[in-house]
Amino acid sequence: MESMDLRALTILLVDDNANMRKVVGAILKAAGVRHILEAEDGLSALKTVQAREVDIVFTDLMMQPVDGLAFIRWIRTSPASPNVFLPIIMMTGHATRRTLNEARMAGVTEFLAKPLTARGVMHRINEVINNPRPFVRATEYFGPCRRRRIDHDFQGAERRGAALPDIRDALTEMAPEDVY
């Protein structure tokens, strides 16, 4: 991965654990990020994104009174959202198939399991900057394309309007780095 110049980015860290915000903040500062904002929960994060321009959000899943999923849904679907295309990286210590699927359905851009590593954080930033996913709108979904690998030679019927298949089998065959 080439070195990226992250000095101009403004990144919002949303986590109810102050120590986790410090850890991620230290990783970002070491990578050159100069503008780091913090919020303790989804409600504080909503206020922050309405008041300030943010380039990337790192959010925890479980917080009170507004959790990460509700925050993501608001960003993606609210008419009051300042940027429905905002890259959102979800961090969680509760990385299960269920939480991954819920995050994907809410419109998360990338998913990062705790405990975090600097390599994992930088990989997700690289993905949202250098490999952005196209956004799609379906009957009950708006957000980044949930397909990790797009087969440009696919000749079958469009499936975006159909119900999602059970992803358990596909996830068991993937390495954690391939999932999100």
Side-chain angles (χ1 to χ4, degrees):
M1 177 179 354
E2 289 183 29
S3 179
M4 296 177 284
D5 185 359
L6 306 177
R7 291 178 291 184
L9 291 181
T10 298
I11 297 182
L12 173 61
L13 303 178
V14 187
D15 200 311
D16 55 352
N17 184 320
N19 290 326
M20 183 55 63
R21 292 193 311 267
K22 286 180 185 176
V23 168
V24 178
I27 292 169
L28 296 173
K29 287 177 186 174
V33 178
R34 293 185 178 169
H35 309 285
I36 300 171
L37 307 173
E38 295 186 12
E40 295 178 351
D41 59 64
L43 185 58
S44 300
L46 292 174
K47 293 175 184 176
T48 300
V49 297
Q50 286 180 312
R52 303 275 310 265
E53 188 172 323
V54 174
D55 298 304
I56 300 173
V57 172
F58 280 83
T59 185
D60 188 24
L61 172 65
M62 295 186 166
M63 300 173 288
Q64 293 294 328
V66 177
D67 69 13
L69 293 174
F71 170 69
I72 294 167
R73 286 186 195 105
W74 183 88
I75 290 291
R76 297 289 183 239
T77 62
S78 173
S81 174
N83 183 0
V84 296
F85 301 104
L86 181 63
I88 303 172
I89 301 168
M90 174 160 283
M91 317 174 288
T92 185
H94 305 278
T96 64
R97 287 185 185 112
R98 187 177 130 255
T99 57
L100 173 63
N101 194 40
E102 287 175 346
R104 290 176 70 229
M105 290 303 294
V108 74
T109 311
E110 294 289 333
F111 194 85
L112 190 56
K114 293 177 183 176
L116 306 178
T117 64
R119 181 177 183 225
V121 169
M122 294 310 299
H123 176 72
R124 296 324 184 276
I125 291 173
N126 180 61
E127 286 298 307
V128 300
I129 292 173
N130 294 319
N131 299 310
R133 296 176 191 213
F135 273 63
V136 296
R137 184 174 303 277
T139 308
E140 295 186 22
Y141 175 77
F142 174 74
C145 181
R146 295 172 292 208
R147 296 177 184 153
R148 188 48 133 180
R149 293 178 182 88
I150 297 175
D151 180 1
H152 295 285
D153 296 324
F154 181 73
Q155 299 295 316
E158 181 63 48
R159 298 180 304 236
R160 283 203 171 98
L164 288 176
D166 187 355
I167 63 168
R168 286 182 285 225
D169 295 332
L171 286 177
T172 56
E173 298 173 10
M174 294 181 179
E177 288 296 316
D178 291 336
V179 175
Y180 252 71

